[in-house]
Structure formats: C-alpha cells, structure tokens
C-alpha cells in the first residue's frame, strides 16, 4: 500500500477497511459508491447467470445458495450495516468524502475537482 500511496496519482478500490486509513488521509477525494438496491440486485442476478452459462469467469461455481446469500445477506447487509461502517471509517475525512449512486458521477466530480 505504501508504494501505491507514494505515487503522484492513484486509485484504491475497496479500501473501506481499517488498513485503508492511510489512503483516506492522503486522498484528494474519497468516493463511496452506493447504487440503489435494485441496481445491485440486478447486477448480482446478471452475474450469476453469466457465470453459470460461462460468459464470465468466477473463482467458484455459483449455486442458488450463493445467489440467495449475495442478494439477501450481503446486499441487504450492506444497506443495514456495511454502509454505516464505511461512513464511520471515513468520518474524519467527511470533508473530502463524496457519496454517489453511479460511476458516471465520479467523472463529473473529478473534472470539477481538478479543473479548478
């Protein structure tokens, strides 16, 4: 992580865990993605079927149990606990934290931030 953070520019994904604190300190902008639940569920189901028919690779064979788990445990858990945990971890950096619903908005914010 230190090697990445020493570069002039970088993007770190999934740094919502405690090991990401250093990246939060050094970041110009912290984006927190929060697509709506229907979008996330659609993506989970689409990925499930695409992996089952071999259009996408996955590290393990997807089962209907996995699908249930992804939709009703992980996805719901993100709304109930995960998102608030991420907000807590980034609370001291709230001045540079931006919560967005889709990745297209990231481009808009980056262009605004670095054009001024």
């Amino acid at each position: 992580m230190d090697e990445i953070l020493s570069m002039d520019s970088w993007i770190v994904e999934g740094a919502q865990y405690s090991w990401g604190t250093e990246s939060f300190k050094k970041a110009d902008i912290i984006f927190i993605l929060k697509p709506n639940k229907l979008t996330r569920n659609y993506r989970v189901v689409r990925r499930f079927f695409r992996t089952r028919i071999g259009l996408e690779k996955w590290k393990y064979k997807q089962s209907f149990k996995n699908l249930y788990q992804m939709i009703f445990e992980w996805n719901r858990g993100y709304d109930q606990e995960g998102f608030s945990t991420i907000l807590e971890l980034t609370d001291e950096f709230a001045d540079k934290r931006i919560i967005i619903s889709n990745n297209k908005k990231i481009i808009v914010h980056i262009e605004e931030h670095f054009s001024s």
Side-chain angles (χ1 to χ4, degrees):
M1 177 66 82
D2 290 336
E3 184 179 334
I4 292 169
L5 298 179
S6 69
M7 297 177 168
D8 289 336
S9 60
W10 45 268
I11 297 173
V12 177
E13 182 271 333
Q16 66 269 21
Y17 302 100
S18 57
W19 58 265
T21 304
E22 194 60 30
S23 67
F24 300 145
K25 289 178 188 174
K26 294 184 176 185
D28 293 322
I29 306 171
I30 300 168
F31 289 109
I32 299 174
L33 294 170
K34 191 171 194 269
N36 72 51
K37 189 189 299 190
L38 289 176
T39 299
R40 293 191 323 258
N41 284 340
Y42 167 75
R43 290 174 180 167
V44 166
V45 170
R46 183 183 70 189
R47 184 174 57 229
F48 173 81
F49 285 108
R50 289 178 59 84
T51 57
R52 292 287 292 199
I53 63 174
L55 293 175
E56 283 185 33
K57 294 190 180 208
W58 199 250
K59 295 181 183 189
Y60 56 91
K61 181 155 171 85
Q62 297 261 348
S63 67
F64 285 101
K65 181 180 177 183
N66 298 125
L67 180 62
Y68 176 88
Q69 197 174 33
M70 285 186 272
I71 291 175
F72 295 105
E73 293 176 20
W74 300 342
N75 213 4
R76 189 177 290 166
Y78 181 72
D79 288 328
Q80 294 172 349
E81 296 173 18
F83 187 72
S84 60
T85 300
I86 293 167
L87 291 180
E88 271 181 44
L89 288 170
T90 59
D91 198 43
E92 71 178 281
F93 312 105
D95 59 321
K96 55 185 173 179
R97 178 179 65 194
I98 301 170
I99 300 167
I100 58 170
S101 59
N102 68 62
N103 58 2
K104 292 175 185 165
K105 293 180 181 178
I106 291 174
I107 302 302
V108 172
H109 284 287
I110 289 173
E111 288 172 348
E112 287 174 1
H113 181 81
F114 290 105
S115 66
S116 47

